[in-house]
Amino acid sequence: MNFELNEEQQQIKYSVREFAESEIRPHVMDWDESQHFPDELRPKLAELGLMGVLFPEEYGGAGMGYVEYATIIEELGRVDGSVALSVAAHNSLCSNHIYSFGTEEQKQRYLVPLAQGESFGAWGLTEPQAGSDASGTRTTAVRSNGGWKVNGAKNFITHAIACNTLVAMAVTDKTQGSRGISAFIFDKSMEGFRSDKKENKLGMRASETASVVFEDCYVADENRLGPEGEGFLQAMQVLDGGRISIAALSVGIAQGAYEAALKYSKERQQFGKPIAEFQAIQFKLADMGTQIEAARLLTLQAAAMKDAGKKTTRQSAMAKLFASETAVRVSEESVQIHGGYGYTKDYPAEKYWRDSKLCTIGEGTSEVQRLVIAKQLLKA
Ligand SMILES: Cc1cc2nc3c(=O)[nH]c(=O)nc-3n(C[C@H](O)[C@H](O)[C@H](O)COP(=O)(O)OP(=O)(O)OC[C@H]3O[C@@H](n4cnc5c(N)ncnc54)[C@H](O)[C@@H]3O)c2cc1C
């Protein structure tokens, strides 16, 4: 068993860290305050292969695996959760759905520009009345003129406004429950498909989250992803991969918050010495460091299993659950170690804390992860 990244993986980690420090760190608070979605990063992300991390070169991707992917998302999350979330949603949700279930033609038409960063991807499962219970999807697709007429809405969609391509789930047969849901690829230029309200969020404020609306939107049958009725099952498989990226994002946020706390604890003096010399602060740092290591190991285990072609439903959910709750705990302790200054925007601790909370909600809440894990454990 080898717990070290190999030389190539370390090189990837180093170059993403350098990129995040130089191109993202200086702007983090401005983007957060103004909720600016930094689409201007896209060419640079593409140059580094970060718009198509998981896809083979023949589809315009970087041909990397999940261990590299988790490492990349962690490094971005260490500096800015929003950019990491954006890269994760683009890669493991929209693009990966097309890569995993699309035809060769769909891959050439949609995946190649996504992987090369020429287009931005979004993925629509959640609806106002169907969140944790995604099988309760109400958006409908009804056969019409050799294609489908789609009506309904999706909310909380990452890149709903900036995207060119959206993969979304819609009910094609009401009588079949979750087996009556199919997946479709939408193009922003399609008539009857538009984005709507942008959310004003607690954290992840530089990641764009908005609704999409379908009003008699005609989509050709050639844009259906896989067989009719398999959209929900496909979405669950896509989430097995996606949850590894949210776990990695959580590890990155926790790492960033911990580093900020460590630095501050050595600088801040009270009672005539640095607060790092108080055992109460040392114990906090020890717990933070230990929990981060554990979260990283769970994440890399799920990633390595995915690279080995194994089913990771349980490991992905465990990594996502543990890492996201670690991110919230560690970033809260980081605020505590910063004292009153941690409560201000002059220090990065409060932003890590705000950003971390998304990780226990997006791609399935902590409660849903526990349901998934328990189901897998009881099945064994
Ligand atoms: C910033 C952001 C970005 C997002 N991006 C996307 C995206 O790109 N695409 C997309 O499709 N979705 C996206 N989402 C949606 C996200 O996946 C959902 O918010 C999440 O799945 C929870 O659904 P909900 O908000 O409707 O909460 P609800 O399902 O209403 O849950 C409310 C509470 O009830 C609990 N609960 C629900 N059912 C159960 C149960 N059976 N047992 C125990 N507890 C339960 C939940 O855990 C939660 O605590 C995003 C959300 C956010 C905030």
Side-chain angles (χ1 to χ4, degrees):
M1 208 175 276
N2 185 356
F3 291 101
E4 303 268 296
L5 295 178
N6 66 31
E7 214 172 294
E8 200 181 324
Q9 289 162 342
Q10 275 173 9
Q11 187 53 44
I12 292 166
K13 187 179 175 77
Y14 176 74
S15 44
V16 177
R17 178 169 293 204
E18 208 175 41
F19 166 76
E21 290 293 347
S22 62
E23 304 284 337
I24 301 173
R25 174 101 58 201
H27 310 288
V28 162
M29 283 316 286
D30 284 348
W31 293 343
D32 179 76
E33 285 286 323
S34 61
Q35 293 212 85
H36 170 68
F37 173 62
D39 201 6
E40 62 273 20
L41 283 179
R42 203 183 338 162
K44 292 172 190 162
L45 291 169
E47 208 176 302
L48 287 168
L50 306 192
M51 297 299 283
V53 179
L54 296 166
F55 316 113
E57 285 170 23
E58 65 195 276
Y59 297 122
M64 295 188 231
Y66 272 83
V67 169
E68 290 81 6
Y69 182 45
T71 305
I72 289 165
I73 299 295
E74 179 186 331
E75 284 304 321
L76 294 174
R78 176 180 163 271
V79 172
D80 186 24
S82 290
V83 174
L85 177 63
S86 184
V87 171
H90 172 86
N91 276 276
S92 44
L93 299 181
C94 175
S95 307
N96 196 42
H97 199 143
I98 299 172
Y99 175 60
S100 302
F101 301 103
T103 61
E104 185 56 31
E105 205 185 322
Q106 288 168 340
K107 288 180 199 171
Q108 290 300 335
R109 180 153 174 221
Y110 292 105
L111 180 60
V112 171
L114 284 165
Q116 292 181 334
E118 284 158 17
S119 76
F120 231 128
W123 192 73
L125 180 65
T126 307
E127 298 187 357
Q129 304 306 326
S132 298
D133 180 14
S135 65
T137 295
R138 293 190 182 179
T139 295
T140 55
V142 176
R143 280 210 180 268
S144 164
N145 291 332
W148 302 83
K149 271 263 163 71
V150 180
N151 280 287
K154 300 279 171 187
N155 68 339
F156 293 135
I157 306 306
T158 303
H159 307 148
I161 300 167
C163 75
N164 315 86
T165 301
L166 167 86
V167 171
M169 277 36 82
V171 176
T172 44
D173 185 349
K174 260 190 198 156
T175 65
Q176 297 299 311
S178 65
R179 299 262 174 181
I181 295 173
S182 305
F184 296 91
I185 308 173
F186 295 86
D187 210 301
K188 212 38 179 306
S189 59
M190 285 175 180
E191 231 173 277
F193 164 39
R194 64 179 166 84
S195 43
D196 206 18
K197 181 183 159 238
K198 178 172 168 171
E199 303 296 342
N200 184 2
K201 304 196 296 293
L202 168 76
M204 299 291 192
R205 288 169 59 81
S207 168
E208 181 191 87
T209 315
S211 313
V212 296
V213 178
F214 306 100
E215 286 160 330
D216 282 337
C217 176
Y218 178 80
V219 56
D221 196 45
E222 66 194 32
N223 277 31
R224 179 164 42 84
L225 268 167
E228 245 184 277
E230 294 202 356
F232 182 78
L233 292 175
Q234 291 172 2
M236 295 304 110
Q237 284 181 47
V238 167
L239 286 173
D240 281 351
R243 285 172 183 159
I244 298 174
S245 69
I246 302 300
L249 161 62
S250 308
V251 174
I253 291 174
Q255 180 69 32
Y258 161 79
E259 286 176 23
L262 189 68
K263 177 168 178 279
Y264 186 80
S265 70
K266 291 178 188 166
E267 290 165 3
R268 175 69 174 167
Q269 302 245 347
Q270 286 295 283
F271 300 95
K273 52 184 166 180
I275 59 169
E277 289 184 23
F278 300 126
Q279 199 177 49
I281 300 292
Q282 291 175 1
F283 279 15
K284 281 188 196 301
L285 292 169
D287 286 346
M288 290 156 84
T290 306
Q291 289 168 22
I292 293 168
E293 284 286 337
R296 185 178 289 116
L297 286 174
L298 270 178
T299 305
L300 290 174
Q301 174 190 244
M305 282 178 64
K306 196 101 177 103
D307 285 338
K310 294 187 181 154
K311 188 168 189 285
T312 63
T313 306
R314 175 164 64 88
Q315 287 77 11
S316 295
M318 283 180 166
K320 200 265 186 189
L321 171 65
F322 186 79
S324 63
E325 301 211 331
T326 294
V328 174
R329 265 194 313 272
V330 166
S331 56
E332 188 185 336
E333 286 291 56
S334 180
V335 172
Q336 191 68 17
I337 290 172
H338 282 78
Y341 298 94
Y343 206 65
T344 72
K345 289 179 188 286
D346 294 339
Y347 287 84
E350 62 83 33
K351 179 176 178 295
Y352 285 119
W353 193 25
R354 285 186 290 109
D355 287 349
S356 72
K357 195 60 200 145
L358 179 271
C359 301
T360 66
I361 296 170
E363 298 200 27
T365 61
S366 287
E367 291 76 16
V368 166
Q369 303 312 310
R370 288 188 172 93
L371 290 175
V372 171
I373 295 163
K375 193 173 165 193
Q376 294 294 316
L377 293 176
L378 290 167
K379 219 161 65 171

